[in-house]
Amino acid sequence: GCQQDWVIHGNSCYHVICTPTLKWNDARTMCQYLGGDLAIIRSQDENKFILELLNNQTRVQIEGAWLGLKRNTSASNAFNWIDNTPLAGHFSAWASGEPNDPLEECVLIYAASYNRGKWNDKRCILPVSEQKIAPVVLCQKRLMR
């Protein structure tokens, strides 16, 4: 099973750190410190589970949570998951008109009322002025089978 404070879904354990985090790299480091990494979403079912998990937190951020998805600027701006699998040809849940900015290399999932469960490309380092709405940290650990 999963450690305390982690929630099982499918073959993974998930954990939300409810700290608004301005830097994608900081979020990833927090997950790695806990033995996991930022969440990878492979299906509508997983996306729905993650949205429910985020909405069950005491604080639901407007900007939701960081995902383990990043724009590969060296390879035609395609998005890759942190395990190096390409997003192209697989499940995605982009918000209407997203992704829309080559300078926005990181990705978050919205959790509050606006575009709930949809993804948005975002700069990897947000300005301090966005601290109140910044994404939280969503970690995932594969279960050893």
Side-chain angles (χ1 to χ4, degrees), residues 16 20 23-24 31 33 41 51 76-77 91 95 97 109 119 129-130:
V16 180
K23 297 178 182 169
W24 184 88
C31 288
Y33 176 77
I41 300 176
L51 179 62
S76 71
N77 278 334
F91 172 80
I109 179 171
W119 306 351
S129 61
E130 289 189 28

Side-chain angles (χ1 to χ4, degrees), residues 3 5 18 21 26 32 42-43 53 56 58 61-62 70-71 77 84 90-91 96 108 115 123 128 131-132 134-135:
Q3 292 162 267
D5 298 329
C18 279
T21 305
D26 289 353
Q32 289 171 333
R42 304 266 188 222
S43 66
L53 184 64
N56 285 337
T58 27
Q61 288 300 92
I62 292 171
K70 213 169 176 193
R71 189 186 294 271
N77 278 334
N84 290 320
H90 299 281
F91 172 80
S96 177
L108 58 82
N115 268 334
R123 288 179 186 253
V128 176
Q131 182 69 57
K132 280 191 168 56

Side-chain angles (χ1 to χ4, degrees), residues 74-88:
S74 60
S76 71
N77 278 334
F79 284 88
N80 284 345
W81 291 106
I82 46 182
D83 65 359
N84 290 320
T85 55
L87 178 63

